[in-house]
Amino acid sequence: WGSTWQVVGSDNFRGLVGTPPAGIVYSEWAKAHPAAWAYLAPILVENKGWALAITTPEGRNHAHSMYEMARKDPEWFADLQTVEDSIRVCEAEGFPPPVTLADVEKQRKEYHALYGVDAGDALIQQEFWVSWSAAILGAFWGRDIEKAERAGRLCALDVVPHVPVHRAWDIGVDDAMAIWCFQVFPNAIHVVDYIEGTGHGFDFYAEQLGARGYLNDKRGIDHVPHDAKQREPGAPGARTRIQSMFAYKLNPLVVPDHKPMDRVNAGRRILPRCWFDEERCTQGLEALRSYKSEWNPINRVFQKVIAHTWASHGGDAFGHMAVAVEFPKMKPAEKEKFTGIKVKPITMNDLLKASKPQRKWA
């Protein structure tokens, strides 16, 4: 009929804008870029086309949200098939099942050897029993979020009056901008909101924060990464991002210099004290569940490198928040008061004198 079949990576979905596909198959949808549906769905609506999303879970991310929506919408078809369902259908139709439960248990032993018992069992639940809640392999904070949910710390939170709402940012140029809004108390951190967007400037986010009342208390601090010192593309006078934030009545403070894994460890330290507004932070919580390390298939180990995925923006912003809370910068006067002493600078002569051997006289 003159039709064509085109294979495109979900990271290049913008390349299909302007084309007239009649149908789209999203393979491994949980691993795909979630914006691929937002960009391409209007084309299918115009063409009265169809879409098919096939996937195994990878946490409760956008694939889980789409599945929950589809199973409740009569205009969609949604089906979930575990390995046991596949075996039952094959046996009923007289076909040998492609995978048996004995095969699964053999695979489980291999996963235990590769990833350990806990991670191996989680992967089995994800791949063979279609578990949306199984911990994502390599996730840094998946178990911490699961513990918070079991403890009832994912709930409805009210913003406490007269307590400043601080903000922690991950600043992108072409990528997403992510912001966590939180209040700090002596024994708890209330994470009250999460904002993420793409293609907007600081004016947009300042307006969003102001509309939600988070800029009313001028004591609120905007914790930003070191790349906030860079010039903002297209800004008048080649001003930096920090200068742009000041121009929109924000209160930026650069977080202490750190390595990426410092963010991860700081996040682990504060998560037991964190309470989240479940409704306003839904997207951010999914990012925290999916924030993970890179897997090295050659050495078969998780590297100390953060995987750059859709979740990395929200995860990085939360890491900046954790570093800001756990390791706040001390002002010179505060440092002097804390130590109680003034350190005299050491000169080269002092070092030479200290390095000379001391003679002992009988």
Side-chain angles (χ1 to χ4, degrees):
W1 294 344
S3 300
T4 60
W5 180 271
Q6 187 174 358
V7 180
V8 180
S10 71
D11 57 338
N12 190 34
F13 58 86
R14 291 179 179 85
L16 291 178
V17 175
T19 61
I24 300 176
V25 177
Y26 294 93
S27 180
E28 291 298 344
W29 173 233
K31 298 179 184 294
H33 197 302
W37 174 248
Y39 272 76
L40 300 174
I43 300 175
L44 296 179
V45 171
E46 183 178 354
N47 293 339
K48 294 181 172 52
W50 54 268
L52 175 64
I54 309 168
T55 192
T56 49
E58 192 164 304
R60 290 185 292 184
N61 59 8
H62 59 282
H64 176 260
S65 301
M66 177 176 278
Y67 169 74
E68 289 296 314
M69 175 276 299
R71 72 185 187 89
K72 298 174 185 176
D73 191 331
E75 294 187 358
W76 283 72
F77 171 79
D79 193 29
L80 188 151
Q81 293 286 324
T82 69
V83 62
E84 293 178 348
D85 294 324
S86 298
I87 292 173
R88 190 181 306 112
V89 169
C90 289
E91 290 176 346
E93 297 295 332
F95 295 104
V99 178
T100 66
L101 294 180
D103 295 328
V104 174
E105 292 308 310
K106 180 181 178 182
Q107 188 73 66
R108 189 190 301 272
K109 292 180 180 179
E110 295 177 2
Y111 283 168
H112 285 176
L114 280 171
Y115 311 116
V117 175
D118 291 340
D121 287 341
L123 192 57
I124 287 290
Q125 288 298 116
Q126 174 183 291
E127 296 295 320
F128 292 99
W129 272 273
V130 201
S131 172
W132 299 101
S133 59
I136 297 174
L137 203 61
F140 295 119
W141 302 322
R143 291 183 184 178
D144 298 287
I145 300 298
E146 186 179 348
K147 289 179 181 177
E149 187 171 16
R150 288 202 304 266
R153 289 187 281 115
L154 273 57
C155 55
L157 291 177
D158 293 325
V159 178
V160 178
H162 312 301
V163 177
V165 177
H166 304 294
R167 288 80 60 183
W169 297 61
D170 180 61
I171 299 175
V173 180
D174 296 322
D175 291 333
M177 190 97 72
I179 310 169
W180 288 96
C181 304
F182 62 100
Q183 295 181 295
V184 180
F185 300 93
N187 297 314
I189 302 168
H190 285 190
V191 187
V192 296
D193 210 337
Y194 177 78
I195 301 171
E196 183 176 319
T198 304
H200 300 290
F202 287 106
D203 55 335
F204 172 81
Y205 296 102
E207 183 180 347
Q208 290 287 314
L209 293 169
R212 303 182 192 197
Y214 301 146
L215 302 182
N216 294 342
D217 193 321
K218 302 304 178 184
R219 295 174 296 168
I221 297 172
D222 293 281
H223 299 284
V224 295
H226 275 256
D227 58 6
K229 297 179 180 179
Q230 298 176 6
R231 293 182 177 180
E232 183 184 4
R239 67 188 182 193
T240 65
R241 295 167 175 173
I242 288 180
Q243 290 172 329
S244 292
M245 295 182 78
F246 277 122
Y248 293 113
K249 309 302 182 183
L250 298 170
N251 187 19
L253 177 67
V254 178
V255 298
D257 195 13
H258 61 277
K259 297 179 180 178
M261 291 307 296
D262 294 334
R263 291 199 292 272
V264 173
N265 293 328
R268 290 191 178 114
R269 289 170 63 127
I270 72 165
L271 272 166
R273 311 199 305 271
C274 286
W275 295 67
F276 296 86
D277 185 279
E278 189 172 16
E279 182 177 349
R280 291 192 294 263
C281 296
T282 298
Q283 184 180 5
L285 285 167
E286 297 311 325
L288 298 189
R289 289 186 177 100
S290 302
Y291 193 58
K292 62 181 183 178
S293 61
E294 290 276 10
W295 170 256
N296 187 324
I298 298 176
N299 297 325
R300 296 194 294 185
V301 295
F302 287 106
Q303 304 179 100
K304 292 184 177 180
V305 177
I306 298 171
H308 186 72
T309 67
W310 68 271
S312 58
H313 305 292
D316 285 345
F318 186 84
H320 296 147
M321 167 185 145
V323 170
V325 170
E326 284 293 289
F327 309 106
K329 285 185 175 179
M330 290 189 296
K331 297 178 181 178
E334 294 173 334
K335 186 173 183 181
E336 185 176 320
K337 181 179 178 181
F338 177 77
T339 58
I341 59 173
K342 293 184 178 180
V343 180
K344 179 184 176 182
I346 299 176
T347 66
M348 184 60 71
N349 289 334
D350 295 331
L351 292 173
L352 291 173
K353 184 178 179 180
S355 64
K356 288 183 179 179
Q358 302 295 318
R359 294 184 179 181
K360 294 184 179 179
W361 298 90

